[in-house]
Amino acid sequence: MKKLLLLLFTILMVNLTFGQTTESILGLHSGLFSFQGYSAEKSSQLNLASNGTTGYTNNPFGAKNGLSYGASYQIQRITKGNFIAGIGIGYENLRSKTTITGVNGYDKTGTFQDVASGQTYLSNKQVNAFPYVGYRVGIRQVSVDLTGGLDIGYLLSSTEQGKATADNGKTYSTSLDRTGIKTDIRPRVQVTVFYRKVGAYTSYAYGLNNYKSGWVGGRNDCNSTVIRFGVLYKIKGN
């Protein structure tokens, strides 16, 4: 991994040195974030604490897509041969989702299990860097950028927020810090279309880091996937 990062950085620096056009770009994006792997689940249950109304999600690493959002700034150089080298820096909140199907708890009569409906979102707030290289195809005022690189996400926090309503009408909730790993490395491919200074893009990234690394008991295998849809505006460049 270190050798790959060094290679990308070297290519980026060479292109920045000998490139002919510099572009500075602001971006806003939404997206779909979820977990994949043996430990990711589409449904789970709430385990209640002694107060009977709050607790934790048995498995908050949802295999369902949650709506995410973020903002970014990127700078890139375009060579005479239309090769691209650049880097993007941004902040984003990546959220996965799992459906809650029941609650487990205890009261004066002992333990109980109730059927319930709701959802838990695992919110991963992070600062993200995206060094990339690629190629531009231009058709008059329209250009298409085909790029690939690495997302390097530094996690600021990871928090579960869950809510479910049982068949008896009682509502339960959860709010818990789930911060574990601090860095998520994701290979990423992206297609961007520009018309003059305005652009739109879509990208896909798959995480290499296990979010359940260090967990004890059972098989712990949980990686991230991100699909982004964004809009861009060139504050510098054609």
Side-chain angles (χ1 to χ4, degrees), residues 41 44-47 56-60 104 160 178 215:
E41 294 181 326
S44 188
Q45 297 182 331
L46 296 185
N47 297 324
Y56 66 93
T57 304
N58 191 56
N59 184 1
N104 305 313
E160 72 165 79
R178 290 285 192 170
W215 285 47

Side-chain angles (χ1 to χ4, degrees), residues 24-197:
S24 298
I25 303 166
L26 296 177
L28 296 173
H29 69 267
S30 183
L32 301 174
F33 178 83
S34 64
F35 290 100
Q36 305 294 325
Y38 184 86
S39 301
E41 294 181 326
K42 293 183 177 180
S43 62
S44 188
Q45 297 182 331
L46 296 185
N47 297 324
L48 303 180
S50 58
N51 59 23
T53 57
T54 63
Y56 66 93
T57 304
N58 191 56
N59 184 1
F61 297 94
K64 289 186 174 182
N65 287 314
L67 187 63
S68 305
Y69 58 88
S72 64
Y73 168 77
Q74 67 188 74
I75 183 169
Q76 62 184 24
R77 293 279 268 180
I78 316 299
T79 70
K80 287 183 178 181
N82 283 339
F83 289 99
I84 303 169
I87 187 168
I89 303 293
Y91 168 85
E92 55 190 350
N93 185 2
L94 303 177
R95 304 193 308 155
S96 67
K97 177 182 176 181
T98 185
T99 298
I100 301 301
T101 60
V103 294
N104 305 313
Y106 54 92
D107 54 24
K108 294 180 180 180
T109 62
T111 60
F112 67 87
Q113 292 182 320
D114 286 342
V115 175
S117 59
Q119 56 276 321
T120 288
Y121 292 93
L122 187 61
S123 175
N124 300 280
K125 297 179 180 179
Q126 63 179 257
V127 176
N128 190 67
F130 174 43
Y132 59 89
V133 294
Y135 185 76
R136 169 167 292 181
V137 179
I139 305 175
R140 295 182 181 178
Q141 295 178 333
V142 178
S143 63
V144 179
D145 293 352
L146 307 174
T147 54
L150 289 177
D151 276 340
I152 306 172
Y154 178 78
L155 275 76
L156 303 173
S157 66
S158 184
T159 308
E160 72 165 79
Q161 297 287 340
K163 188 174 183 180
T165 302
D167 284 353
N168 60 13
K170 194 168 184 178
T171 298
Y172 304 93
S173 64
T174 175
S175 178
L176 188 67
D177 178 45
R178 290 285 192 170
T179 304
I181 66 171
K182 298 301 294 183
T183 305
D184 190 10
I185 307 296
R186 299 179 295 263
R188 172 175 167 180
V189 292
Q190 181 168 308
V191 178
T192 305
V193 178
F194 277 107
Y195 175 72
R196 294 183 177 177
K197 290 183 175 294

